[in-house]
Amino acid sequence: MSPINKPVLLDEVVNDFVVKFANVNGSGSASANSMFAKAIFRMGIPVSPRNIFPSNIQGAPTWYEVRVSEKGYLGRRGGQVELMVSINPQSMTQDVEEVCPGGYFFYDNTYPLDFNLIRDDIHYIGLPLTQITNSNFSNPRLQQLFKNIIYVGSLAYLIGIEFSALESIVSDTFAKKPKLIQPNVDALQLGFDEAKKAFSTPLPLQLKRSNKNDGKVLLEGNAACGLGAVYGGATVCAWYPITPSTSVAEGFEKYAKQLRVDPETGENNFAIIQAEDELSAIGMVIGSNWNGARSFTATSGPGVSLMQEFLGLAYFAEVPAVLIDVQRTGPSTGMPTRTQQSDILISAYASHGDTKQILLFPATPKECFELTADAFDIADRLQTPVIMLTDLDLGMNEHICDDLVWDENRSYDRGKVMSAEDLINTKEKWGRYLDVDGDGIPYRTIPGTHAEKGAYFNRGTSRDEFAVYTEKGADYQRNMERLEVKWATAPKHLPKPIITERDAANKIGIIHFGTSLEATHEAIDELSVAGHTANDLRVLAFPFHEEIEAFIEQHDQIFIVEQNRDAQLKMLIVNELEIAPKSLKSILHYNGDPISARRIVAGVTAHLDTLSVGKKDASASVA
């Protein structure tokens, strides 16, 4: 069928456009859309897919957005879709509006299109998907599933996906169910052939094989965290299900079953416990870490709220623990399936009283893997909880990252743990909370180390250096001051910020963290074209390293990019580094979608334009 109208054609665009799928949640479309993205990845073309799904189980609109970028820009572009694949009548009004002028609206024309959906500046591509599916499959469930596969096959013809790439994805997907391979390949071929019959030429949006993905993998952040926990030596995972963190525990279980089963006995060398709630989960983590295991939990914002009491206990009793917080929108239930960076303050100061918690900020699946493994070393070395803040975008979407590498010669850093021999040979009286080395970190024992020596009572109440209960103010104050010394020691064991200096004399600096990385670097490239060069600093950990304060002092204009309403990272920097708030300009984004380069560019240029106008006005008044 020819297009309904004839708007201006887009020039041929190769490996640089956005395809967005509009489906019904629970229809099986996610696997087909993922197949589409993975095939592009296997063609060597950088691609960044994002699943935008509702918090209900089935029936509501869901979207899957795929950005193709030869330049390797992997952040969400936002605001422009060249090809909309609209399979859901419920969302068509919204879907039509998102197509850019000259773009394409692909739809199922088994039924007539509502004339209210017709724009005169975009192209409409109709293919009778329902009719094709029903003519070839009689089983209602297969009709639904194969309809998705058929439109992927159609797109293979329209935009140039290599059919062999799709076939390899199908073979890998159904390797354990080989009978399903050929029917899926046949459905892909059916879609390809039907599109070729309907349209004499492919679209000007084309994919051409590239080599940009050499040494790269496509991986979800949550899966990378689960694998990182296995490699980091974790043997216990206690958790309570909550979106979007559940697949962290599932990933740990999957990889532990592959790597942590005794080959001789067949017994598991790990334990996974689904607790009755989040408070119980973190309690189990603290208990097992105190007993010598490496243990962790995963949750999201509401879970962090519920874990506050026990996080304070672990901080004050100085028990290692690892918590992976996959952030979502809040407060309260918020939007459970949308992303945000809004748990910074509640995590940094988790629990009542004077507490400060170690934070880590990964930006890629590779960093999820590496920093999860590192978190167990850090927790043991500092004898304190470590909270790693990812988010839904990083955790539940597949991202391109460098291949994962592990040093087989690496040994775990258990920190200051007294062995039985140490206890026997020590000449001084051992005190659990005694600062021997001046770094604020005492020596600890693991229960059962020695039959008579090294025992102490671990408590959340005040005690002296020898773990003896006390309510003497001087003892309590001395202990709290030692914890401050340990806090000052902590940055030595944490990853430093990553600074990219493009111009030593440049006066514009941008601070960001986590999944704002890709959008920020793309924005900096766009700003450079407009004549604004910017250096950037990515925060990887809290407490902050001295490099952050130095970076701020070196620049006249500092912008802090974060995905929350209240500028939480800015508040943390102001509070901890005593920086004047007015010297830091916030670029904020918090509608639940990942931040885009366009949002950052708009925020920076608006401020710079205001400064420019102010300078002109000032010079005019002086004259």
Side-chain angles (χ1 to χ4, degrees), residues 488-615:
T489 299
K492 298 177 183 178
H493 303 283
L494 302 178
K496 289 188 175 184
I498 297 175
I499 299 173
T500 304
E501 186 177 80
R502 297 167 181 83
D503 183 355
N506 182 45
K507 299 303 181 183
I508 301 174
I510 299 178
I511 296 175
H512 57 101
F513 69 102
T515 51
S516 299
L517 165 66
E518 297 292 348
T520 299
H521 281 183
E522 183 180 358
I524 289 173
D525 287 350
E526 290 187 23
L527 288 166
S528 178
V529 172
H532 302 300
T533 303
N535 300 323
D536 76 284
L537 179 149
R538 179 158 66 92
V539 180
L540 267 73
F542 174 74
F544 299 128
H545 291 79
E546 59 185 13
E547 286 86 348
I548 295 177
E549 186 171 5
F551 182 85
I552 293 172
E553 291 176 349
Q554 289 164 5
H555 295 83
D556 291 341
Q557 295 295 321
I558 290 289
F559 296 91
I560 301 182
V561 177
E562 46 187 317
Q563 300 179 56
N564 58 68
R565 184 196 68 180
D566 294 340
Q568 293 187 27
L569 179 62
K570 175 184 173 180
M571 282 196 280
L572 199 59
I573 289 174
V574 167
N575 189 48
E576 295 295 322
L577 301 181
E578 299 182 352
I579 303 294
K582 290 185 178 180
S583 67
L584 309 174
K585 303 301 178 184
S586 293
I587 297 177
L588 306 175
H589 177 80
Y590 47 89
N591 69 357
D593 293 328
I595 194 169
S596 68
R598 293 182 180 189
R599 172 72 190 95
I600 298 170
V601 170
V604 172
T605 54
H607 178 71
L608 295 178
D609 289 345
T610 301
L611 287 178
S612 177
V613 170
K615 289 178 181 178

Side-chain angles (χ1 to χ4, degrees), residues 200-259:
S200 57
T201 59
L203 301 184
L205 309 174
Q206 284 294 302
L207 299 168
K208 303 293 184 183
R209 176 167 282 277
S210 185
N211 60 354
K212 298 297 175 63
N213 296 334
D214 293 348
K216 307 284 186 181
V217 293
L218 198 60
L219 185 64
E220 290 181 356
N222 282 357
C225 287
L227 184 61
V230 173
Y231 273 82
T235 55
V236 178
C237 173
W239 66 294
Y240 184 77
I242 182 172
T243 302
S245 71
T246 296
S247 53
V248 174
E250 293 173 342
F252 176 75
E253 181 177 23
K254 171 186 173 181
Y255 295 118
K257 285 182 176 178
Q258 296 176 11
L259 302 170

Side-chain angles (χ1 to χ4, degrees), residues 229-234 260 294 373 376-377 380 406 410-415:
V230 173
Y231 273 82
R260 283 279 173 78
R294 284 193 156 182
F376 293 97
D377 281 352
D380 276 351
W406 183 257
R410 173 173 169 172
S411 58
Y412 299 137
D413 181 1
R414 297 310 303 261

Side-chain angles (χ1 to χ4, degrees), residues 382 438-441 483-494 543:
L382 296 173
D439 58 2
I441 307 172
L483 289 171
E484 274 195 313
V485 173
K486 182 166 74 168
W487 184 254
T489 299
K492 298 177 183 178
H493 303 283
L494 302 178

Side-chain angles (χ1 to χ4, degrees), residues 240-408:
Y240 184 77
I242 182 172
T243 302
S245 71
T246 296
S247 53
V248 174
E250 293 173 342
F252 176 75
E253 181 177 23
K254 171 186 173 181
Y255 295 118
K257 285 182 176 178
Q258 296 176 11
L259 302 170
R260 283 279 173 78
V261 177
D262 189 301
E264 295 181 1
T265 65
E267 293 183 353
N268 293 337
N269 292 326
F270 63 93
I272 298 178
I273 307 155
Q274 183 175 326
E276 61 266 34
D277 54 37
E278 286 89 349
L279 186 61
S280 297
I282 191 66
M284 294 175 186
V285 168
I286 293 168
S288 52
N289 272 290
W290 173 79
N291 203 42
R294 284 193 156 182
S295 179
F296 77 103
T297 189
T299 191
S300 191
V304 177
S305 297
L306 294 170
M307 294 177 181
Q308 295 284 301
E309 182 178 355
F310 269 158
L311 285 170
L313 170 64
Y315 170 84
F316 194 58
E318 298 178 72
V319 180
V322 172
L323 165 60
I324 298 169
D325 174 14
V326 189
Q327 299 169 97
R328 70 189 205 191
T329 60
S332 189
T333 305
M335 294 191 292
T337 59
R338 297 292 188 267
T339 196
Q340 210 165 73
Q341 297 174 324
S342 54
D343 295 346
I344 302 168
L345 293 178
I346 193 177
S347 300
Y349 301 121
S351 196
H352 58 277
D354 292 325
T355 55
K356 292 182 181 179
Q357 309 287 5
I358 306 292
L359 306 183
L360 299 175
F361 303 106
T364 66
K366 181 177 176 65
E367 289 184 351
C368 285
F369 170 75
E370 293 173 342
L371 291 182
T372 299
D374 291 344
F376 293 97
D377 281 352
I378 295 167
D380 276 351
R381 169 54 57 180
L382 296 173
Q383 301 174 27
T384 197
V386 173
I387 303 174
M388 192 166 78
L389 295 174
T390 73
D391 58 35
L392 183 145
D393 179 33
L394 176 55
M396 296 194 71
N397 289 315
E398 292 180 311
H399 299 262
I400 291 179
C401 67
D402 292 333
D403 201 1
L404 307 184
V405 178
W406 183 257
D407 181 3
E408 295 295 340

Side-chain angles (χ1 to χ4, degrees), residues 14-82:
V14 177
N15 295 353
D16 187 19
F17 51 86
V18 172
V19 181
K20 190 169 184 178
F21 298 84
N23 301 99
V24 177
N25 199 34
S27 64
S29 60
S31 59
N33 297 340
S34 176
M35 180 188 301
F36 170 87
K38 288 177 179 177
I40 298 173
F41 174 79
R42 291 195 180 186
M43 289 176 64
I45 306 167
V47 60
S48 54
R50 285 178 171 84
N51 193 14
I52 307 164
F53 59 101
S55 55
N56 69 339
I57 296 175
Q58 191 168 359
T62 183
W63 293 269
Y64 191 87
E65 186 173 287
V66 181
R67 182 177 185 183
V68 179
S69 173
E70 179 73 14
K71 294 181 179 179
Y73 292 134
L74 302 178
R76 185 171 184 265
R77 191 171 64 182
Q80 185 171 334
V81 174
E82 279 82 7

